[in-house]
Amino acid sequence: MIVLGVLWMILSPLCLWLLFRGRTPARLGGLLTLAGLEVATIWLTVGTETEVPLALAVGAPPAVQAERPAPCPVRALAPEQARLVKRGGELHSVTLSWPAAAGECDTATVRLHHAHNRIKVWVQEGPAGRPSAGARAFPVTVAGGTASTEVLLVPPLPGRKGLTAIDGRTGRPIALR
């Protein structure tokens, strides 16, 4: 990943210079180089997105942990339904829901990735701790055997038609309601 970043820093200015100042073969070479860098970046990003777990680290000392009630187990969730909350043509929040389990946790860590009219969602339930990069902890509510959490989007996303929610772990669409 570091090598790719260094290649971007070195080759992109050179390729842009060739695109504007070079002859036709040099322009084509610059364009192909930039396209290759972009494909490599997307390939590495997609490959790591699905493999990166949402790790929570509990950083309290053992004495403090002993005073707390037993923590609920950390588990990765597959949301069954998503509700997109739009206001004024913008997407302000996403409510995710799944079947509640016995001893449901009070918090869930959620990471969203928005690209190409898709919102990829990774949800992990467990005690609040330090969320992984790009993830935030949200409270979980349980009603009628269903657990849910509302993920506020700051800043709001454009509320385009055809927006779909995808489970980041499995790649399957999440039903919209």
Side-chain angles (χ1 to χ4, degrees):
M1 196 64 125
I2 292 173
V3 172
L4 186 60
V6 171
L7 286 173
W8 268 106
M9 289 179 12
I10 294 170
L11 293 178
S12 61
L14 176 65
C15 291
L16 289 174
W17 183 79
L18 288 173
L19 285 174
F20 291 109
R21 300 283 183 181
R23 294 183 179 173
T24 303
R27 287 180 179 177
L28 183 60
L31 186 64
L32 289 175
T33 302
L34 287 174
L37 285 171
E38 186 66 29
V39 166
T41 302
I42 292 169
W43 181 70
L44 283 174
T45 303
V46 169
T48 57
E49 271 184 344
T50 57
E51 297 170 7
V52 176
L54 295 175
L56 295 175
V58 179
V64 175
Q65 288 180 356
E67 295 173 7
R68 295 182 186 161
C72 58
V74 175
R75 62 185 180 128
L77 300 170
E80 290 186 351
Q81 289 188 339
R83 184 171 56 97
L84 306 176
V85 179
K86 297 179 184 179
R87 274 187 252 139
E90 293 182 321
L91 183 61
H92 282 269
S93 67
V94 177
T95 302
L96 303 167
S97 58
W98 58 91
E104 191 74 35
C105 292
D106 293 340
T107 60
T109 304
V110 180
R111 183 169 65 108
L112 300 176
H113 176 73
H114 175 253
H116 309 294
N117 278 349
R118 293 180 176 193
I119 299 176
K120 282 190 177 180
V121 178
W122 289 267
V123 181
Q124 181 173 345
E125 189 176 53
R130 176 181 287 163
S132 65
R136 294 182 293 167
F138 294 96
V140 173
T141 56
V142 178
T146 301
S148 64
T149 187
E150 184 176 6
V151 180
L152 300 175
L153 303 174
V154 178
L157 295 174
R160 298 184 197 126
K161 289 185 178 181
L163 199 61
T164 58
I166 306 290
D167 184 359
R169 291 182 314 111
T170 63
R172 294 184 181 143
I174 301 170
L176 296 176
R177 55 178 179 138

